[in-house]
Amino acid sequence: MSEYTPKLQVQLNERLMKLKERFVQKFGKTPLFYAYAPGRVNLIGEHIDYCGYAVLPMAIEQNILAAVSVDESQTIQLANANPQYNDITVSTGDLKIDRANPQWQYYFLCGVKGVQELLGLAAPVGMQCVVDGTVPPSSGLSSSSALVCCAGLLTAEANRKTLTKVVLAETCARSERYIGTEGGGMDQSISFLAEEGTAKLIEFNPLRSTDVKLPGGAVFVIANCCVEMNKAATSHYNIRVVECRIATKVLAKSRGLDWSRLMKLGEVQPELGASLEEMVQIVEEVLHQEPYSREEICQCLGITLECLCNDILSPNTQHVTQFKLYQRAKHVYGEAGRVLRFKAVCDRAGAQAIQELGELMRDSHASCRDLYECSCPELDQLVDTCLQSGAVGSRLTGAGWGGCVVSMVPVDTLDSFLQRVRESYYQPDARRAALEKQSLFVTKPGGSSHSVSGVAVSQHPPCPVKGPHASSAGVSI
Ligand code: GLA
């Protein structure tokens, strides 16, 4: 049964009613069904999913909702409840995704295209959709992946196909790469595998999730630093992905492994039978701290520049000339260890749990800032402010370079924490002060992506939105 608080349930149903009205205005008919996909906050485990390591996120209540109907038109008519976003109409057989211009509709089309291709649909149905989102864009809370997941889910539903949550998550993770970022799959996985009331350890290859019960006595607070970061619009993210890929190959070659087939730092560890702590030592022994030039990498691996550019670099990292391998690899193995320790502390639920988790979060932020260099001055300032305001742990969440921090705050100091963060970070700056209401909020683990029947929404008073049918891998939605 859904554990949504009555207030959230009412808000969601109000949004569904408004969405229905908009849909009727726009398309002159009622929606056939609705789809829901949540954003997420990552508690720990940053920039390690694409290296094959487990991460520890939870879904948040902010989400993407879509109202949908189908017809034989062979077109997709897409509108957004927010008038700032343009409507589009495209043919179902000709979905073009413009990487150079990563606008909202392309994320939607990524999800549609991924599921169409997976299902091998010869004649996908035409769809009319109105989308309404409450995940703040470019804030590190996965608004783009929630949109991809929502589109993937509704495409399967519209074509009357049932896919498991795991298949949907993997398909949406793959298809979001059509936009150009080589993401790792955390965001899509938690969007489909989340469950109310619990964070999840998400592991890859094969994709699976395990409940992580967070200790009582503390809450997680999200705070947006008010610097926007659209990871598809810059090459920061993909540069980190290729730095990790090159570090994988240089480490593997130094240990006599078949380096050419290894792509992820997480693949080197089992080949060497080493612990994560030993992997950190190996990084220190093998890699040097100065950035590597292209020439040095080619020399280390015995490859040509052409081979480096074609087989290892991605299209938007062709211009990069310096690669920090030591720092990136050291972050990845260290952060992978912190995720496992975070879970172990939660499982043990000892008296010191909150302090121990706080320390892991602080170390994670320091590693993101100093080794992975995915923070920014505003994120660092906000993390410091949160720690000085009573948080036991605070760290950037998501890709970084802007967006949000997540802090762990003892329940009994929550009010003074919020007050002090408002006074120190938001109120002194007019732009931040204007954004404060949607930028600082307490969050709880929310439920997963699911579809909602159209009939239910027409009921009044507000109907319950169906919760996730099952939590674990391999269960149909
Ligand atoms: C983005 C990506 C994820 C993950 C995080 C960083 O959210 O979509 O796959 O890599 O950044 O942890």
Side-chain angles (χ1 to χ4, degrees):
M1 214 178 84
S2 175
E3 288 169 20
Y4 263 92
T5 61
K7 189 168 161 233
L8 283 181
Q9 189 65 67
V10 169
Q11 282 171 1
L12 187 56
N13 281 296
E14 278 170 4
R15 270 175 71 212
L16 281 167
M17 299 302 288
K18 276 203 187 124
L19 191 58
K20 180 182 172 190
E21 273 168 32
R22 241 170 228 282
F23 190 96
V24 173
Q25 271 167 15
K26 185 111 212 135
F27 298 116
K29 56 182 174 180
T30 52
L32 188 60
F33 67 92
Y34 300 80
Y36 169 101
R40 62 98 191 96
V41 58
N42 190 22
L43 300 182
I44 197 156
E46 226 59 85
H47 286 278
I48 60 172
D49 57 349
Y50 52 79
C51 298
Y53 283 112
V55 291
L56 212 154
M58 63 191 196
I60 55 175
E61 78 192 46
Q62 286 79 357
N63 57 67
I64 306 281
L65 271 181
V68 190
S69 72
V70 300
D71 66 10
E72 300 301 319
S73 65
Q74 297 189 347
T75 59
I76 296 170
Q77 291 167 273
L78 178 61
N80 196 309
N82 182 340
Q84 166 190 340
Y85 299 107
N86 291 339
D87 295 3
I88 59 155
T89 300
V90 294
S91 155
T92 52
D94 184 27
L95 303 181
K96 290 204 182 67
I97 291 153
D98 183 359
R99 289 179 169 205
N101 184 18
Q103 290 179 7
W104 80 280
Q105 69 269 21
Y106 295 124
Y107 290 95
F108 187 92
L109 296 182
C110 282
V112 176
K113 189 173 161 83
V115 167
Q116 276 188 4
E117 287 175 353
L118 176 84
L119 296 173
L121 297 173
V125 294
M127 301 193 289
Q128 292 75 48
C129 307
V130 181
V131 169
D132 177 42
T134 53
V135 191
S138 304
S139 64
L141 300 178
S142 198
S143 58
S144 44
S145 300
L147 187 54
V148 176
C149 292
C150 192
L153 175 63
L154 67 84
T155 303
E157 190 89 14
N159 288 281
R160 297 181 169 275
K161 302 286 182 198
T162 303
L163 296 172
T164 67
K165 293 185 173 207
V166 163
V167 168
L168 277 163
E170 289 179 334
T171 305
C172 291
R174 258 196 321 275
S175 62
E176 190 168 331
R177 297 189 194 127
Y178 288 132
I179 205 84
T181 36
E182 300 194 54
M186 162 169 70
D187 309 346
Q188 303 81 3
S189 304
I190 190 65
S191 194
F192 282 108
L193 303 179
E195 263 187 291
E196 282 170 37
T198 178
K200 293 279 186 178
L201 180 78
I202 303 277
E203 295 169 276
F204 302 95
N205 300 314
L207 176 59
R208 58 210 186 276
S209 69
T210 311
D211 289 0
V212 178
K213 193 171 170 352
L214 300 169
V219 289
F220 288 91
V221 178
I222 293 176
N224 195 333
C225 80
C226 303
V227 174
E228 288 203 1
M229 157 62 184
N230 176 346
K231 66 184 181 300
T234 70
S235 52
H236 301 318
Y237 187 90
N238 280 2
I239 292 174
R240 295 296 177 274
V241 176
V242 301
E243 284 175 320
C244 290
R245 190 177 297 152
I246 297 168
T248 301
K249 292 178 182 296
V250 173
L251 284 174
K253 178 132 194 270
S254 79
R255 288 296 193 256
L257 302 177
D258 176 8
W259 62 269
S260 60
R261 80 183 158 78
L262 299 179
M263 298 293 278
K264 297 178 183 174
L265 286 166
E267 294 165 352
V268 182
Q269 192 197 348
E271 296 274 340
L272 296 180
S275 67
L276 285 164
E277 291 72 26
E278 286 164 342
M279 288 311 299
V280 173
Q281 281 168 16
I282 293 173
V283 168
E284 286 171 351
E285 279 163 34
V286 174
L287 302 175
H288 57 67
Q289 296 196 32
E290 299 72 36
Y292 287 66
S293 67
R294 293 163 171 240
E295 292 68 30
E296 186 180 3
I297 292 163
C298 291
Q299 202 177 23
C300 277
L301 298 177
I303 57 171
T304 61
L305 192 57
E306 197 186 359
C307 174
L308 175 69
C309 292
N310 295 343
D311 302 344
I312 301 181
L313 302 185
S314 49
N316 73 344
T317 58
Q318 296 290 324
H319 63 286
V320 183
T321 54
Q322 303 266 300
F323 302 86
K324 292 194 178 175
L325 308 188
Y326 170 94
Q327 293 82 349
R328 309 315 183 216
K330 197 167 166 184
H331 164 80
V332 169
Y333 291 123
E335 184 77 352
R338 279 187 286 275
V339 170
L340 301 182
R341 289 202 289 284
F342 193 100
K343 167 143 191 317
V345 172
C346 290
D347 290 348
R348 243 190 358 259
Q352 292 303 311
I354 292 176
Q355 290 306 327
E356 287 169 23
L357 298 179
E359 189 177 336
L360 289 167
M361 291 175 74
R362 295 196 301 271
D363 291 350
S364 169
H365 184 75
S367 183
C368 285
R369 180 191 60 211
D370 302 336
L371 294 174
Y372 220 69
E373 297 178 284
C374 60
S375 190
C376 66
E378 293 82 356
L379 279 171
D380 294 339
Q381 184 197 346
L382 185 50
V383 162
D384 289 344
T385 303
C386 290
L387 292 173
Q388 283 156 18
S389 303
V392 283
S394 185
R395 55 180 298 280
L396 69 83
T397 185
W401 295 288
C404 289
V405 311
V406 58
S407 303
M408 193 182 195
V409 182
V411 176
D412 48 6
T413 58
L414 178 62
D415 290 342
S416 68
F417 169 84
L418 293 171
Q419 189 53 30
R420 287 170 69 181
V421 174
R422 269 183 213 118
E423 283 168 9
S424 322
Y425 191 80
Y426 292 98
Q427 286 165 8
D429 175 299
R431 200 180 74 87
R432 289 180 190 166
L435 296 170
E436 182 208 299
K437 250 208 165 68
Q438 71 263 35
S439 297
L440 181 66
F441 52 90
V442 178
T443 189
K444 281 199 218 149
S448 68
S449 300
H450 57 281
S451 58
V452 185
S453 90
V455 181
V457 172
S458 62
Q459 294 170 356
H460 212 269
C463 64
V465 173
K466 280 188 282 173
H469 293 186
S471 57
S472 57
V475 181
S476 302
I477 290 185

